[in-house]
Amino acid sequence: MAFSGLALWADNVSERPSWVRGTWCVDGGVIRRVSDETEAPSVGVIVPGMVDTHCHIGYSETGSVSEDEMVEQARITLGSGVTVVRDCGVPVDNSPAARATGLHLIRCGRHVARPKRYMRDLPLDVDDQRELPAVLASMVHSSDGWVKIVGDWIDRSAGADSDLMPLWDPAVLTDAVAAVHEAGARIAVHAFSHRVIDSLIEAGVDDIEHGSGIDADQASEIAARGIAVTPTLRQVEIFKNFAAQAGAKYPVYAETMQGMYDARRAHFQMLVDSGVLLLMGTDSGGYQEHGTIAGELDLWLQWGAPAQLTIDAATWVSQRYLGYPGLVEGGPADFLILDEDPRDNPTILAKPVRVTVGGTSVWERPSA
Ligand SMILES: [Zn+2]
């Protein structure tokens, strides 16, 4: 199968991809550039598949779902232009969703939290926090090279003074991160608040999820240390709802959430300007529906990310961070065919004409 078009392409995995016109050939699940004399139909625009680095396949707003439903979630995700998902914690085995659909799924196992310090029934709770390193080391065996912990959450034991508070002592966190790295895995941490961030930087976590409390000094340290941040803007967009629900019962917490909501655009702009490695993630499966990456792309643009940075973050940057090469010579034929140039409107990435994984077409846009 040979085709021509405009592609976001790199000759090898250490090269930064650029936009090139050419002709490509897919054979044995691999993509290669061929000489332009080859007779090949023009398909439009060819881009690497998108990545959702924060997603919960197997979960929905109402809880864990059946195997049929998780397969459907994976199909919807593929149809939105996403070929790689890092699942950021679910209480069920969601591997059937990947097997049935071709979606690349990187599992994190279950969220690890402390009792009453996260959403009910979702995490694995650790009673004695000194057990965290051992719990995470064993979690590595039921995941795909990643684990996920809850770094902060409202601590309701303080009554009306309750606020977002770190779950873990800094020393425990440092030991836990070391145990995960020793087991050959990486660790992502849920973090809304400002006060948890220093302990995450010190402990050397790999990826901060949400990161809404990061200040400018912390951002430059995070950038310098190569820690990734998944800003999940659609999640930050609903902080105003969390604030309203907390209302009079937890006024301090409500003010914290409302403050981050009010500052959200300037905060995201600061992250972009700081050079932090930003990953694309939707948090689908909790408060967000599956297949909603178009809305996340839209918020990145609305809140001031340049179009090319948004395209890069959604595709090859997040792919390479998770161990996939993007669209490269001799690499896996995982790509999207688009009928418009995403540089004019990056949300087009989420409306592919066709989605190919490993050289096989896994999704095609229904004809109108
Ligand atoms: Zn999440």
Side-chain angles (χ1 to χ4, degrees), residues 3-286:
F3 48 87
S4 64
L6 173 71
L8 184 53
W9 176 260
D11 288 331
N12 61 67
V13 72
S14 53
E15 184 184 286
R16 188 183 177 87
S18 57
W19 292 98
V20 289
R21 289 196 179 276
T23 304
W24 284 269
C25 176
V26 170
D27 189 21
V30 161
I31 189 162
R32 294 183 194 285
R33 194 167 179 187
V34 294
S35 98
D36 289 340
E37 287 93 73
T38 314
E39 281 287 314
S42 175
V43 293
V45 182
I46 308 145
V47 294
M50 284 196 287
V51 181
D52 190 345
T53 64
H54 187 133
C55 180
H56 304 275
I57 298 275
Y59 210 74
S60 75
E61 210 173 353
T62 52
S64 297
V65 302
S66 70
E67 205 168 299
D68 284 350
E69 285 170 291
M70 63 177 81
V71 168
E72 185 56 24
Q73 290 174 347
R75 287 221 169 87
I76 291 169
T77 300
L78 283 166
S80 71
V82 170
T83 58
V84 178
V85 158
R86 182 184 60 186
D87 168 77
C88 242
V90 275
V92 291
D93 175 17
N94 54 13
S95 50
R99 277 197 298 274
T101 62
L103 180 70
H104 293 301
L105 177 67
I106 299 164
R107 295 170 305 156
C108 276
R110 287 185 75 167
H111 299 77
V112 178
R114 289 172 59 205
K116 299 188 177 168
R117 296 299 304 281
Y118 197 53
M119 292 157 79
R120 207 150 60 93
D121 300 334
L122 193 49
L124 180 70
D125 287 332
V126 175
D127 289 317
D128 179 348
Q129 66 166 300
R130 289 169 298 183
E131 290 166 9
L132 182 67
V135 168
L136 292 181
S138 74
M139 186 67 81
V140 168
H141 301 298
S142 55
S143 68
D144 301 314
W146 278 91
V147 296
K148 165 82 182 288
I149 66 170
V150 178
D152 65 358
W153 198 250
I154 184 171
D155 182 355
R156 294 189 178 84
S157 66
D161 292 332
S162 296
D163 199 358
L164 289 175
M165 296 299 288
L167 268 68
W168 316 100
D169 293 339
V172 166
L173 207 49
T174 298
D175 289 348
V177 172
V180 170
H181 289 165
E182 185 122 323
R186 289 188 278 177
I187 178 167
V189 186
H190 164 105
F192 282 164
S193 71
H194 171 67
R195 56 168 69 94
V196 74
I197 298 297
D198 282 342
S199 67
L200 304 185
I201 296 172
E202 277 312 305
V205 305
D206 298 286
D207 184 6
I208 297 173
E209 299 301 300
H210 317 297
S212 42
I214 295 168
D215 71 19
D217 288 342
Q218 291 165 333
S220 49
E221 193 60 34
I222 286 167
R225 296 195 189 206
I227 297 170
V229 173
T230 308
T232 65
L233 303 187
R234 274 167 65 86
Q235 197 67 14
V236 177
E237 187 74 359
I238 59 174
F239 279 10
K240 65 175 186 301
N241 304 353
F242 297 162
Q245 284 154 14
K249 193 170 179 193
Y250 300 114
V252 177
Y253 169 80
E255 200 184 316
T256 298
M257 300 310 283
Q258 185 67 42
M260 292 191 291
Y261 174 78
D262 293 341
R264 67 199 186 285
R265 287 165 191 259
H267 182 261
F268 179 61
Q269 190 65 62
M270 179 277 290
L271 287 179
V272 169
D273 294 343
S274 69
V276 167
L277 173 60
L278 294 175
L279 307 177
M280 185 64 61
T282 62
D283 212 351
S284 294

